[in-house]
Amino acid sequence: MNKGLNRRWTLVMVLMFGMVLLTACGTKYAALPINEDVDICAICKMQVKDDAYATQLTTKDGQNYKFDDIGCMNQWKTENGTDNIGMDYVRDYNDKEWIEYSKATYVYDASLRTPMAYGILNFKDKPSAEAFIAEQGVGTIMTAEDLASHDWKQNTENMDMMGEHGHDEHGHGEEGDGNEMHQEGEMKEESGH
């Protein structure tokens, strides 16, 4: 009888230890919805639109920070470091689905118009990014690792094209075919810049 009791206690202890391990290792981070009425960018203090440019990160202690442009999220990381980040997310340019920052494919060109003029768009996979470049005729494919050494300069000409709230006056956040994205680049080529 004592042997049976020991086995039960051993089984209970093993199960409890397993539950503790699963709880400790199983911290899950999820992207939170954007609420345009209250969400402001943690860096530039502009409204975060519920669009393809929104990004966010959650720290390991549960703090969530939202950004209106991936460049603002990069600035937050530069100022605060990345050791305490539990997860960071960007949105797919085509369908606004949340993607883990490290798993996304990026397209960069200074002529691409984004809320804070960093010129980086996010895609859930490389074929989507390649299709965008083929359609627009501009852009360089980048990975999250490539962004780590990116210069993160804002295109001041594109900043001048933004409305008073730092967002594109031509329907920032509206779904379109993306053709309006390249207009600034065409103007730059014509002016010789």
Side-chain angles (χ1 to χ4, degrees), residues 153-171:
K153 290 183 182 174
Q154 290 175 292
N155 182 337
T156 54
E157 289 178 18
N158 275 357
M159 288 296 288
D160 294 340
M161 299 290 290
M162 299 297 171
E164 64 185 55
H165 298 292
H167 295 284
D168 186 349
E169 293 175 341
H170 301 290

Side-chain angles (χ1 to χ4, degrees), residues 31-34 54-56 89-92 96-100:
L32 300 177
I34 299 296
T55 66
Q56 65 178 284
Y89 293 95
V90 297
R91 285 182 120 172
D92 179 67
K96 298 192 306 182
E97 211 175 286
W98 289 108
I99 316 158
E100 291 180 27

Side-chain angles (χ1 to χ4, degrees), residues 29-32 54-60 63-67 70 73-74 76-77 81-91 98-104 106 144 147 152:
Y29 302 96
L32 300 177
T55 66
Q56 65 178 284
L57 62 83
T58 302
T59 59
K60 291 176 182 173
Q63 294 291 320
N64 182 267
Y65 298 92
K66 295 177 183 172
F67 309 92
I70 191 172
M73 184 165 71
N74 178 71
W76 188 95
K77 290 176 181 182
T82 58
D83 291 343
N84 193 36
I85 295 175
M87 186 59 67
D88 43 2
Y89 293 95
V90 297
R91 285 182 120 172
W98 289 108
I99 316 158
E100 291 180 27
Y101 177 87
S102 63
K103 295 180 180 178
Y106 301 90
L147 291 180
W152 293 98

Side-chain angles (χ1 to χ4, degrees), residues 27-152:
T27 302
K28 297 279 184 186
Y29 302 96
L32 300 177
I34 299 296
N35 181 343
E36 292 184 358
D37 294 333
V38 297
D39 289 336
I40 61 166
C41 179
I43 293 296
C44 70
K45 307 304 181 203
M46 299 292 183
Q47 176 188 26
V48 177
K49 301 288 247 174
D50 188 20
D51 63 12
Y53 305 104
T55 66
Q56 65 178 284
L57 62 83
T58 302
T59 59
K60 291 176 182 173
D61 59 3
Q63 294 291 320
N64 182 267
Y65 298 92
K66 295 177 183 172
F67 309 92
D68 66 339
D69 190 301
I70 191 172
C72 290
M73 184 165 71
N74 178 71
Q75 185 176 338
W76 188 95
K77 290 176 181 182
T78 300
E79 293 173 5
N80 297 283
T82 58
D83 291 343
N84 193 36
I85 295 175
M87 186 59 67
D88 43 2
Y89 293 95
V90 297
R91 285 182 120 172
D92 179 67
Y93 179 74
N94 294 316
D95 66 14
K96 298 192 306 182
E97 211 175 286
W98 289 108
I99 316 158
E100 291 180 27
Y101 177 87
S102 63
K103 295 180 180 178
T105 300
Y106 301 90
V107 171
Y108 167 73
D109 192 84
S111 69
L112 297 176
R113 293 170 71 182
T114 64
M116 297 308 293
Y118 285 97
I120 297 174
L121 303 178
N122 327 303
F123 295 88
K124 63 181 150 197
D125 54 39
K126 191 172 181 180
S128 299
E130 290 170 339
F132 176 86
I133 291 172
E135 181 181 308
Q136 296 299 316
V138 297
T140 301
I141 300 261
M142 299 181 82
T143 63
E145 292 80 23
D146 296 329
L147 291 180
S149 60
H150 182 63
D151 65 13
W152 293 98

